Amino acid sequence: MMEANDRSDKLSAASVAIDGTRIRTVREAKRLTQLYVASVVGVTTDTISRWENNRYPSIKRENAQKLADALEVPLDDILRQEPPAPEGEADADLTPPSPRRKKLLVLFGLFTLLLLLAVVILSRPPSSAPIAVRWLPRYAAPGEIIPVQIKVTRLPSKPFGFILKEKLPDGMRLVSSVPPSSAAEPARSSLKWLVPSGGNPVVISYSVRTPAPFAQGKEVKVKGEIVLHGEDANRTEEVGGGSDVRIGPYHWADANGDGRIDDDEIMPAYYICDEMKGLGLDWKTIEAIWSGKGYRWDPKNGYTVLK
C-alpha cells in the first residue's frame, strides 16, 4: 500500500509541458476570466498570465490537471504537442534498407569513386613525353608502293629527344624515308630514326613496297615503338594509330576499297603525295583514277583506269 502511495506521489509531482497559447485560446473561447481560472486552480492571476505567455514552459501535473478542469477540457488539450515525425522516419534508422536501396547506395558509391578518379586524372599535369601516331592506308595491292607517316608531338617546355623504331611485316621493304632512316637492316624491314630534342611536332614519312607474292584478302601488320629520353630515365611506348593493311586489288588512296577514288578521298591523297614528294608515290595514276570511273588491278598490268 505504501509503495502504491509513493508511486502516486511521484506521478503527482511530475512536471508536464503546457501550451500557453492553447490555454489562452480555450479560456477566451469559453469566456472565462483569468481570475476565475486562478481561483479554481488555487494560484494567482499573475501565475495564469505567466502560463499563457509561456513564461513557465512546464508545471506540476497536479496543477495542469486542475487547469484543465477549470477550462473544462481534457489534460492533453493544453499540453504542448511535439510535431509528429514524418511517416516512416521514426523507424528509418531501425529498418534495414531494401535490396533496391542497397543497390542504389552501391551504385552511388561507385559513381562517386569514378568521379573522384576522373578529377584526379584530369588534374594531373600533362605528360612531357612525346606521343607517336602512325597513319598508313587501310588497303594496298601486292608489290605496290604505299605511304606511311608517323607524327610525334612533344611539349615545347620539354622537347626531349627520342628513338623511333618500326618493324615491317615479312615481305614488306623500305623504299625511302624523310628524314632518312638512321639505321636499317640489310633486309630493310627493321627501321630506326634518332631524333634529337627540338621543336614540335615531328613528322617522319616513309614509303614501303608491299609483299608481291602474297595471298590477297589477308592483312599485314606494321609494329613500332618510341624510346623516350627523359630527365631521369628512358621509357618505351608503342606507336599508336593504324597498323593493319589488307592486301588485295586495291589502290592505297581508295580508303574504303570500293574500286574508285572519289572526291572525299582525292584531297587526303593529294596532301600525302605533296608532303612525301620524292618517295615514289604515283600522283598521276591517282589523279587519273579520280577523273575516271574507277580502276581495276591485276598482277600483270597493275592499275587500269576505267573510262
Side-chain angles (χ1 to χ4, degrees), residues 162-164 166 177 179-182 191-195 204 206:
F162 61 88
I163 299 173
L164 180 67
E166 287 278 88
S177 71
S181 175
S182 301
L191 315 175
K192 296 180 182 180
W193 290 267
L194 176 61
V195 180
I204 295 176
Y206 66 94

Side-chain angles (χ1 to χ4, degrees), residues 140-144 212 216 247-251 295-304:
E144 298 292 340
Q216 296 188 30
I247 304 299
Y250 314 107
H251 195 285
Y295 67 92
R296 183 174 58 249
W297 181 91
D298 63 76
K300 183 178 180 180
N301 301 310
Y303 295 106
T304 300

Side-chain angles (χ1 to χ4, degrees), residues 90 158 162 196 254 278:
K158 295 183 179 180
F162 61 88
D254 181 8

Side-chain angles (χ1 to χ4, degrees), residues 66-217:
K66 291 179 180 180
L67 179 59
D69 293 340
L71 297 174
E72 301 176 348
V73 295
L75 176 61
D76 289 342
D77 282 6
I78 62 172
L79 298 183
R80 185 181 301 117
Q81 303 295 327
E82 296 295 334
E87 185 177 355
E89 182 177 317
D91 299 329
D93 295 334
L94 301 178
T95 304
S98 64
R100 183 173 181 273
R101 187 179 180 188
K102 286 183 179 179
K103 185 177 180 180
L104 290 175
L105 290 174
V106 171
L107 291 176
F108 178 78
L110 290 175
F111 173 77
T112 304
L113 182 62
L114 290 175
L115 184 61
L116 291 174
L117 183 61
V119 170
V120 171
I121 293 175
L122 293 176
S123 62
R124 288 179 178 176
S127 172
S128 60
I131 300 177
V133 179
R134 181 192 303 107
W135 177 89
L136 78 168
R138 184 68 184 86
Y139 299 95
E144 298 292 340
I145 296 176
I146 65 171
V148 182
Q149 276 194 334
I150 299 176
K151 294 186 178 181
V152 181
T153 57
R154 299 185 288 189
L155 289 179
S157 59
K158 295 183 179 180
F160 296 142
F162 61 88
I163 299 173
L164 180 67
K165 301 178 181 180
E166 287 278 88
K167 176 65 176 176
L168 304 180
D170 292 341
M172 185 177 286
R173 296 293 180 264
L174 174 69
V175 175
S176 186
S177 71
V178 176
S181 175
S182 301
E185 293 180 354
R188 301 176 70 82
S189 61
S190 294
L191 315 175
K192 296 180 182 180
W193 290 267
L194 176 61
V195 180
S197 59
N200 176 53
V202 176
V203 178
I204 295 176
S205 302
Y206 66 94
S207 57
V208 295
R209 188 176 296 277
T210 58
F214 196 85
Q216 296 188 30

Side-chain angles (χ1 to χ4, degrees), residues 18-38:
I18 57 175
D19 187 342
T21 303
R22 176 63 178 162
I23 292 171
R24 180 188 294 110
T25 301
V26 172
R27 181 181 61 77
E28 292 177 350
K30 292 181 177 291
R31 299 180 181 274
L32 302 176
T33 64
Q34 288 185 346
L35 179 60
Y36 169 79
V37 174

